[in-house]
Amino acid sequence: MRTTTADIRRKKASGERFAAITAYDVVTARLADEAGIPLILVGDSLGMVVLGYDTTIPVRLEDILHHTRAVVRGSSKALIVADLPFMTYQKSAEHALENAGRCLQEGGAQAVKLEGGRAMADTVSQLTSAGIPVMGHIGLTPQSVHQLGGFKAQGKDLARARELLADAIALQEAGAFAIVLECIPAELSKQITARLGIPTIGIGAGPHCDAEIQVVSDTLGWFSDFVPKHAKQYANLSDAAADALRTYVREVEEGAFPTERESISLSEDVLRELEGEGS
Ligand code: KIV
């Protein structure tokens, strides 16, 4: 039985902190599931850390559906949240319903995430009324990178801090089951966390949120082009993989791989026949 959005809400009520992570493929989903992570996000960060784009903006719904199906196949316990890409939910609530519905129906996710606060409250309300659980996302919202003037921390001045608090409350009132707080000051996320009855899930938002989420490629040291300040590398898979590939290349070039151990053999009889035909 998978974790439900009700289980996630209950964690706040019982004061149980939890870790969430992104995943984009079967292997990572299986590892996250086996590590006991209750919420896996198929984030549109896949555009940057898997597909090689500079921002998340080019990611399409088809990309998210494709990777969500893989993550669902690789896991059996975690709640799977599909990230709604840029322009799949902003045009109208009807458009959002159609696309979020596809994430559940075709992707196999149990919930969706979308970026934005008060401006998205009506859409969140319509999605949740239709039975589609929604995770909110405020602060640094990467799909608005051009509006924000870059990947910059948010909520550092009083006016913006007040706006983010109002956004969080509006999302909760609209029915969101949890809210991601990205790159905002720790003191602000502490205030927001204290005011909400649903879990806050921080990323670059300090230690006071109810939960933490990280991009798995940062956590495992897999994507080393850029490591955000808020990330901690618990492994260095990129260096380990580079070493392994260099060793593989050298062994093939030197004839040290493959050996008999990695080969299959003909039976004596077949070999004899074959050699006889050649003579
Ligand atoms: O797409 C993503 O990975 C995200 C997380 C940073 C929360 O939105």
Side-chain angles (χ1 to χ4, degrees):
M1 173 71 188
R2 286 188 185 272
T3 302
T4 64
T5 55
D7 295 330
I8 296 293
R9 280 170 177 266
R10 267 195 294 275
K11 288 184 191 295
K12 168 114 184 182
S14 61
E16 187 191 334
R17 281 173 60 77
F18 63 95
I21 200 129
T22 66
Y24 319 102
D25 60 71
V26 167
V27 174
T28 317
R30 189 173 300 139
L31 289 170
D33 217 33
E34 284 168 3
I37 293 178
L39 187 156
I40 299 177
L41 171 69
V42 185
D44 63 357
S45 50
L46 84 88
M48 298 174 77
V49 300
V50 176
L51 303 178
Y53 298 125
D54 288 341
T55 71
T56 59
I57 289 172
V59 175
R60 296 161 312 133
L61 187 66
E62 298 306 327
D63 299 322
I64 291 290
L65 291 174
H66 180 70
H67 287 270
T68 299
R69 284 191 284 267
V71 168
V72 168
R73 285 193 292 271
S75 61
S76 60
K77 299 192 282 273
L79 176 82
I80 308 301
V81 182
D83 213 0
L84 287 174
F86 182 60
M87 279 303 135
T88 62
Y89 59 93
Q90 291 94 337
K91 277 190 239 165
S92 67
E94 289 68 32
H95 195 226
L97 271 169
E98 199 178 301
N99 290 324
R102 289 188 67 192
C103 289
L104 270 61
Q105 220 163 23
E106 296 173 39
Q110 289 82 54
V112 297
K113 176 173 83 59
L114 54 78
E115 297 182 5
R118 283 159 294 168
M120 282 298 136
D122 184 46
T123 298
V124 172
S125 167
Q126 295 211 37
L127 290 175
T128 53
S129 301
I132 301 175
V134 180
M135 184 157 94
H137 182 167
I138 60 173
L140 169 53
T141 44
Q143 291 173 16
S144 305
V145 60
H146 300 311
Q147 175 84 2
L148 299 175
F151 294 103
K152 292 180 183 160
Q154 299 294 307
K156 287 167 99 171
D157 62 61
L158 183 60
R160 186 77 180 110
R162 282 186 176 138
E163 279 177 14
L164 288 171
L165 186 53
D167 284 339
I169 291 169
L171 288 171
Q172 169 170 279
E173 284 171 359
F177 73 89
I179 303 180
V180 172
L181 305 179
E182 180 164 352
C183 291
I184 65 170
E187 299 82 358
L188 176 58
S189 56
K190 186 176 184 182
Q191 292 248 352
I192 294 175
T193 301
R195 304 247 196 131
L196 295 186
I198 56 172
T200 55
I201 307 182
I203 172 164
H208 308 296
C209 293
D210 299 301
E212 177 73 10
I213 187 161
Q214 287 284 319
V215 172
V216 70
S217 326
D218 295 335
T219 306
L220 298 182
W222 185 233
F223 183 77
S224 47
D225 291 16
F226 167 73
V227 182
K229 172 179 157 52
H230 58 70
K232 178 171 172 184
Q233 291 191 331
Y234 287 82
N236 193 335
L237 297 193
S238 174
D239 281 0
D243 279 352
L245 289 175
R246 274 193 295 267
T247 307
Y248 164 67
V249 169
R250 197 190 62 240
E251 289 198 355
V252 170
E253 286 174 353
E254 290 172 353
F257 177 85
T259 64
E260 256 181 47
R261 226 185 75 183
E262 293 90 19
S263 308
I264 48 171
S265 310
L266 281 178
S267 71
E268 294 281 311
D269 292 352
V270 175
L271 182 59
R272 219 174 302 114
E273 288 279 333
L274 208 58
E275 285 174 345
E277 282 168 16
S279 56

